Amino acid sequence: MWLLQCAWSLGADQAMRPVQRVLAMRAAVIRRFGPPDVFEVCEMPTPKIGPGKVLIRVQAAGINPIDWRIRNGSLRFVMPTRFPLVLGYDVSGVIIDVGAAVTDFKPGDEVFAFLDTFRQGGGYAELASVSAHVLAMKPGNLSHSEAAAVPLAATTALQALRDLGKIDGRSRVLINGASGGVGSFAVQIAKTYGADVTGVCGPNNLELVGQLGADRVIDYTKVDFIRENRHYDIVLDAVAKRSYPECRRVLKPRGHYISTVPSAKQFLHQAWTWLLRGRRSHTFFARPNGSDLLDLKDLIESGKLRPIVDRVYPLTEAGIAHAASEGGHVRGKLVLDLAVM
């Protein structure tokens, strides 16, 4: 039996002291850039927590495209990493220890979080150290697997639409990749603002995107939205399939094109549009924010927002999950279940 399990068996209210003696945890680790099979599940040191942090016993971890882009090395110039590396920015679990300065959370609390360790992640492990200010209590109507699908993708959708797109009830919004992780949340969040939403997806997901609230759904295999005579305040490209120059023709004069996938060309387009007035191109990275998670929690508990979980994998199948994510056509999110070993 793992030392972690021994510590947890003492009970949440007593776990604060014994967890300090846990020397190792299991994690899915990469020691070099490479294909999905580069993962190995092995023992790693228990994360340390400072005064403003908590230690979470991870029940589930979300998988995002940024994870496999880090793993395969395509972001190595944007996000330098150090090996061995534990990936993962989304977690849902139970607090088992708190730092001295933490007053809003206690051992035993069920929480979810968008990890604030920008270069290192850390979610694909039995334990994760997290700053208290990026935490929120887990939505009561979600399982841990469902909650782990929320933080990064939903925060990305919320911050992109609200902070960059300046969305409101008069906005006309197009979501490219509307059935994916960010896209499925973006459709729902845009509707909470009262916006007119067009979702673009493949033929197998037309019904799903309509059920999420899209006013209009486009099958990209039949209709090319940039050829239509229709203009948008916001084009959120959650799959980086259409560039700013292509989408410019369907943007209103002060419209915003937002990509969630960085590239050298996209950075150049962004810089160029900021030298001019009118349409804007943005490359967006979400920021961990506990307040935004609380807002998302409220939307989830009120029934206005729900995560779409395509499939749940055990930690030992992290590589298989990455291959599925990297292959595209995932409906919503993929999740690792840390309770199944």
Side-chain angles (χ1 to χ4, degrees), residues 23 34 82 115 134 137 150 182 196 212 214 226 241 243 245 247 250 255 262 273 277 281 305 332:
L23 301 179
R82 290 181 296 177
L115 302 188
V134 303
M137 298 295 289
V150 174
V182 172
D196 179 88
L212 294 176
I226 67 172
K241 296 297 186 180
S243 67
C247 294
V250 298
T273 63
R277 291 187 177 184
S281 176
L305 185 68

Side-chain angles (χ1 to χ4, degrees), residues 270-308:
Q270 177 174 312
W272 176 249
T273 63
W274 281 96
L275 294 175
L276 305 172
R277 291 187 177 184
R279 300 171 181 86
R280 291 279 190 259
S281 176
H282 309 269
T283 302
F284 183 68
F285 294 95
R287 302 173 304 281
N289 186 316
S291 177
D292 283 346
L293 278 187
L294 283 175
D295 289 343
L296 294 167
K297 175 179 181 288
D298 289 342
L299 290 175
I300 291 167
E301 292 183 335
S302 67
K304 296 178 181 178
L305 185 68
R306 63 185 177 100
I308 306 300

Side-chain angles (χ1 to χ4, degrees), residues 23 79 103 106 127 155 189 202 209 244 259-260 262 285 309 328 331:
L23 301 179
M79 300 174 64
T103 58
K106 64 184 185 303
L127 297 171
T155 298
I189 290 170
V209 174
Y244 168 73
S259 173
T260 61
F285 294 95
V309 178
R331 289 165 58 100

Side-chain angles (χ1 to χ4, degrees), residues 13 24 64 110 142 144 150 160 202 231 240 242 285 308 311 315:
D13 59 341
N64 295 285
E110 294 190 325
L142 295 187
H144 283 293
V150 174
H231 296 85
R242 307 308 292 261
F285 294 95
I308 306 300
R311 187 170 175 184
L315 182 65

